[in-house]
Amino acid sequence: MLRKWSILAFVAYLILGLVIYYYLFIFADSTVPDIYKGTSADPTTFMNAKELMLSEEYSKIRNLLYFLSTPYEWLIYFFILIFGVSRAFEKWANQTSRFRIIQNAVYLFWLSMLSFALVFPIQYVSYDLSKTYQISTQTFPQWMKDEMIDFWVNYGTMLIIVTVLYAMMRKFPKKWWLAAWGLFVPFTIFMMYIQPIWIDPLYNDFYPLKDKELEAKILHLAEQANIPAEHVYEVNMSEKTNALNAYVTGVGNHSRIVLWDTTLERLSDDEILFVMAHEMGHYVEKHIYFGVAGYLLLSLFGFWLISKWLNRTIEKYGKEFKVTKSSQISSLPLFLLMVSILLFISSPITNGVSRYQETRADDYAMEITRDKEAAIQTFQKLTKAGLSQVNPPFLVKIFRYEHPTMLERLNMVETYPLKKVDPSKKEQPSS
């Protein structure tokens, strides 16, 4: 039975890989429709032949890696279960100590190490790809440093989650999903507070924006958006990437306005103000709160569904998986497998909501800056810096894109009907 299952799973993965390759490299059409030819959304108007070729190559390979890496993760969890690896890790953990927290820590360490080792080849290929196409500027030691930080941050976070989750499973066998979700809510909000202050600085150096004249302009926009920020921060992302980005993170008094130094170097002040107005649009529209609320509601449904799915799967296939009940720590790979599948299945919905919010933020930026030229130049430079496809294939868009495509964003800017406003609202602070 185990041999049959493993062969079927491996063959299914190979077939999926061939289908995805055919779709991305042969079937899918990413050319711009004739109606957009010659407009600002036509990549031939702002990218040369070499850039167009590289963007197509890079995007196709990167998308292929994405669609292969997710089911590869499922394959790893499946094999860890059916070959008894998870059960072996549980036995080692139980022999280490009589304290549950230590048993969980030992089990999770071995599971995390094995998963890291098996996923590492795909992670390295992804890094090497971005390095080859000059998106990444990291040396291998720098990249490995970030991978190690990722490992330990994820390990520490998972240890807390797993310990609480399995404690709830033992204490509330039938309603553990509700109890776990009840604790998941404050934990999520807590992480939102500590992310910009404690976790982000582990990866990069943040420091106040050096250009004080630009900072004054950005803070003027922030004041209009009622964002409680006294400083604008820049971060030294040029050590890692040639891509451009900026964001507003955190909530309440922990809000931070952050600009990548690559953005400061390659965009004009007007273009930077458009980017910042877009990010502030998320704050004004309260997208972070709607996003968290939606995420928590979705997680409630997810916890409930997994509880039913997990119990039925163990009842039917527990012998093959070497798991007798869901409250065993050795059921964790099955739990993670189900979470990953549900996240993948729901991604078209969550990405669709995200694209709507990004469109609203673009609208806000257009209204607050009223600068079509800066908006167009910004989107075109973002496309070139990231070697992005202007018009990605449909499946790539719905499964991968949290933002509208550049075709949609550039077309929106060109056709945006700017309303007349009171001139006093365009007042800028004196430097």
Side-chain angles (χ1 to χ4, degrees), residues 155-395:
Y155 174 78
T157 305
M158 280 297 295
L159 180 57
I160 296 171
I161 293 172
V162 167
T163 299
V164 173
L165 176 66
Y166 279 84
M168 295 300 99
M169 286 182 177
R170 289 188 297 273
K171 190 169 184 178
F172 308 104
K174 293 184 179 180
K175 296 291 184 180
W176 65 263
W177 58 273
L178 187 59
W181 181 80
L183 295 173
F184 182 71
V185 173
F187 179 77
T188 300
I189 296 172
F190 173 72
M191 290 299 293
M192 288 172 55
Y193 273 95
I194 69 169
Q195 179 80 30
I197 307 300
W198 298 103
I199 298 178
D200 289 347
L202 295 174
Y203 297 88
N204 293 97
D205 295 326
F206 291 79
Y207 38 87
L209 183 62
K210 298 171 185 176
D211 188 337
K212 296 305 176 183
E213 184 176 346
L214 176 60
E215 182 181 50
K217 294 177 183 178
I218 294 173
L219 290 176
H220 179 69
L221 288 179
E223 184 180 358
Q224 290 178 280
N226 293 318
I227 296 177
E230 298 179 358
H231 299 285
V232 179
Y233 292 87
E234 58 180 289
V235 55
N236 60 332
M237 288 301 294
S238 58
E239 295 181 357
K240 299 182 179 182
T241 181
N242 284 316
L244 314 178
N245 198 13
Y247 56 90
V248 178
T249 187
V251 292
N253 293 331
H254 283 206
S255 296
R256 271 192 175 186
I257 301 172
V258 181
L259 281 160
W260 288 12
D261 59 350
T262 52
T263 303
L264 291 166
E265 292 167 4
R266 296 164 66 178
L267 296 187
S268 67
D269 281 8
D270 287 340
E271 291 161 359
I272 290 172
L273 289 175
F274 175 80
V275 171
M276 295 313 304
H278 167 93
E279 297 303 329
M280 292 173 191
H282 289 303
Y283 187 93
V284 171
E285 296 271 342
K286 295 181 171 54
H287 289 162
I288 187 169
Y289 300 106
F290 286 118
V292 170
Y295 175 66
L296 292 177
L297 285 175
L298 192 63
S299 65
L300 175 61
F301 174 73
F303 273 123
W304 172 81
L305 183 59
I306 288 176
S307 72
K308 304 298 182 183
W309 191 7
L310 189 65
N311 287 336
R312 290 180 183 178
T313 302
I314 291 174
E315 286 175 8
K316 193 171 183 179
Y317 302 109
K319 184 178 179 181
E320 286 79 5
F321 291 156
K322 283 71 173 182
V323 178
T324 57
K325 53 185 178 180
S326 58
S327 59
Q328 275 185 266
I329 191 68
S330 56
S331 71
L332 182 59
L334 182 59
F335 181 90
L336 295 175
L337 171 62
M338 293 174 175
V339 169
S340 182
I341 290 173
L342 290 180
L343 287 175
F344 183 77
I345 292 173
S346 63
S347 60
I349 298 173
T350 55
N351 287 344
V353 172
S354 177
R355 288 195 298 272
Y356 170 76
Q357 292 181 336
E358 295 296 338
T359 299
R360 294 284 297 175
D362 284 344
D363 289 344
Y364 177 85
M366 288 301 300
E367 284 300 320
I368 202 74
T369 64
R370 309 182 66 78
D371 193 339
K372 286 192 174 186
E373 182 179 354
I376 289 171
Q377 290 291 325
T378 298
F379 288 142
Q380 290 178 341
K381 288 180 180 180
L382 286 170
T383 303
K384 293 177 68 173
L387 291 180
S388 305
Q389 289 175 310
V390 171
N391 186 34
F394 176 72
L395 288 182

Side-chain angles (χ1 to χ4, degrees), residues 373-420:
E373 182 179 354
I376 289 171
Q377 290 291 325
T378 298
F379 288 142
Q380 290 178 341
K381 288 180 180 180
L382 286 170
T383 303
K384 293 177 68 173
L387 291 180
S388 305
Q389 289 175 310
V390 171
N391 186 34
F394 176 72
L395 288 182
V396 173
K397 174 184 172 180
I398 66 171
F399 279 101
R400 296 210 63 195
Y401 273 53
E402 296 179 348
H403 292 71
T405 66
M406 283 303 180
L407 175 67
E408 294 166 336
R409 302 181 88 173
L410 286 164
N411 182 60
M412 181 280 291
V413 173
E414 278 207 345
T415 59
Y416 195 86
L418 289 174
K419 301 173 185 177
K420 293 183 179 180

